[in-house]
Every structure is written in structure tokens, then in C-alpha cells.
Amino acid sequence: MELKGRTCFITGGARRVGRAIALAFAKQGARVLIHYRSSRDEAEKTAADCAQLSGLEGGCFQADQADPVRIQHLAAEVDARFEVDVLVNSASVFNGTPFLETTPEEWDRMLGVNLRGPAFFCQAFAKGMIRRGRGVIINIADVVTETPWIGFLPYCVSKAALVTLTRGLARELAPAVRVNAIGPGTVLLSENDSEEVRRLAERSSLLGRIGSPEDVARACVFLVEGSDYITGVFLPVDGGKSLRRRGLN
């Protein structure tokens, strides 16, 4: 599928990795629609930047993706104006909690945003994709699905389940819709991270460096345009970090 002239909906598209994906799609000539929860100003800025790149007006759509009812309303609003060809589930929450201290509310929030939200976005937009006989879904997971981090178990479980969802949907939505997942490694550090954190991230990669949001964005472009014969895959974009964590030489 060529991105030129297609309509792409990106959850969490206002900032960070989601913004990089949005801009990459727009550079290929796609109409980009941005979902956000609270970053309205940044979402509008990203949407404007995408429209300037592609020449196609998009839009911004607000929802807490932990709320499936709100997702249904948002999808109906989008469907009334556009035909979504590509869905990228990029929005997520990331929190660390020692397992013995994790509350039911923390589990529910992590699974609600990182798993149930993407599932209902897929459900909402896949119906139109199947009706039109074409569509691509990309779920942004994490390489922690390979080796869960200590102190981040709810997050790791939610991302591992997202990969399972991806593989299940690849089977259920075939042949009209292709569904794949990407597992970023360290592609963006927090402003509060120390130089030691940066050096540790660099050492954890086989390539000796951290990546960038654009690395994830280019992988997304490939999964849309590079081949129509790829579905149900989990693609690590981590500089080999997942191999090193398994202890391989």
C-alpha cells in the first residue's frame, strides 16, 4: 500500500515517537489524523506540520483510550469525515511499580491504556478497512516483551499482550487487513535522564548507541509500503538490545 493519498490515524501522535511517525507518513503524502488525550496544543501543531508536508488537511481527535465508549464515539466522528486506511496504536502509559506494591487501579490503568485501548481502536477502524478490502494496523509495543523489567511488570505484561493481540488480529482480519507490531528499544531519553543513563543505554545496544523516534517511524513506513506480504510479525527496532539481554554473544 502506498501512503500517498491514504488516510492514517495515529494514537498518541502529538508528541515523541507518535509525532515522528505522523511526520514520516505526511512526508510520503498521507493525510494524517492525530489522536491525543491531553496534549491539545502539541497535537494541533503536529497536525498542522503534517498538513504542510502532505498538502492534505487532517485533524485532531481527543479521547482517553482507557474508555472504550469514548473510542467508539471518536471512531464514529472520524468515519463520518474520512476513510482510515492505516491505524498506528502509539499511545501508551509507562510507569514503574514494584510488583508487591502494585494496586488493582495501577493494573487496570496500564492494561486499559496499553492493551484494551488499542484493541478497541482496532475493532473500531477494522470494520471499515474490511468493508473496503484494504487496511494496515501497526501496534507500537516494546522489546520488554522479550525480557520483562524488574519493577515494571504491569507495563511489560500489557506490551506482551499487545503483541499477542497483534498476532491474533493478523489471523482474524486477514486477508483484507495486515496487522504488525514494532518493539522499540531505547529511542528517546527523558529530559531528566543523566549522562550515566545514556551511557548505560548505549552499552545495552549491540550497535553501541541509542536510536531515535525516526528509526521507529521508518519501520512503520516500511510495514505499510515495503511489502504487502508481511503480517503478524513483531519487529524489534532496538539496535540488537533484545539479543544482548538474552545473553547472546
Side-chain angles (χ1 to χ4, degrees):
M1 178 188 291
E2 290 189 4
L3 280 163
K4 185 176 178 60
R6 301 295 187 184
T7 297
C8 306
F9 187 93
I10 302 175
T11 73
R15 304 171 59 244
R16 297 170 68 84
V17 171
R19 173 178 164 83
I21 297 169
L23 294 176
F25 283 5
K27 288 177 183 176
Q28 297 299 112
R31 184 191 310 275
V32 178
L33 311 178
I34 302 295
H35 154 267
Y36 69 97
R37 184 178 70 87
S38 58
S39 303
R40 178 175 178 176
D41 291 344
E42 291 164 298
E44 291 177 347
K45 173 68 164 57
T46 298
D49 291 343
C50 288
Q52 185 173 19
L53 286 169
S54 68
L56 299 172
E57 287 296 326
C60 299
F61 300 86
Q62 191 279 334
D64 180 347
Q65 70 177 40
D67 182 353
V69 175
R70 176 59 191 141
I71 290 175
Q72 292 175 354
H73 292 165
L74 181 154
E77 180 184 354
V78 171
D79 284 340
R81 299 171 53 191
F82 306 100
E83 293 183 350
V84 173
D85 302 294
V86 179
L87 166 66
V88 179
N89 281 306
S90 179
S92 69
V93 291
F94 175 80
N95 296 110
T97 308
F99 176 69
L100 296 180
E101 300 172 14
T102 305
T103 66
E105 291 77 17
E106 288 168 328
W107 271 102
D108 289 347
R109 181 64 180 170
M110 198 68 65
L111 292 172
V113 173
N114 293 354
L115 176 63
R116 189 178 63 187
F120 279 102
F121 269 118
C122 290
Q123 182 189 71
F125 289 118
K127 295 174 183 177
M129 293 178 180
I130 292 172
R131 186 171 62 251
R132 293 186 293 274
R134 66 174 189 274
V136 176
I137 295 172
I138 301 172
N139 294 319
I140 306 301
D142 196 304
V143 291
V144 297
T145 61
E146 302 287 330
T147 307
W149 293 345
I150 295 172
F152 290 83
L153 193 55
Y155 172 79
C156 296
V157 168
S158 71
K159 290 298 188 175
L162 184 60
V163 175
T164 299
L165 175 70
T166 298
R167 291 170 175 153
L169 289 177
R171 300 186 67 186
E172 187 145 347
L173 303 181
V177 183
R178 295 189 295 111
V179 189
N180 294 295
I182 291 175
T186 305
V187 297
L188 192 64
L189 295 176
S190 167
E191 295 177 357
N192 299 322
D193 285 335
S194 66
E195 186 59 29
E196 176 58 29
V197 170
R198 172 178 290 276
R199 288 195 295 267
L200 180 61
E202 291 171 345
R203 290 197 300 269
S204 72
S205 164
L206 293 181
L207 300 182
R209 58 183 173 84
I210 66 171
S212 70
E214 287 71 28
D215 289 316
V216 179
R218 284 190 288 269
C220 287
V221 171
F222 169 75
L223 288 176
V224 177
E225 293 192 329
S227 172
D228 285 334
Y229 204 57
I230 299 174
T231 194
V233 306
F234 171 68
L235 174 63
V237 180
D238 68 346
K241 179 178 180 178
S242 54
L243 291 177
R244 175 155 287 177
R245 291 183 69 87
R246 292 194 201 107
L248 299 182
N249 295 322

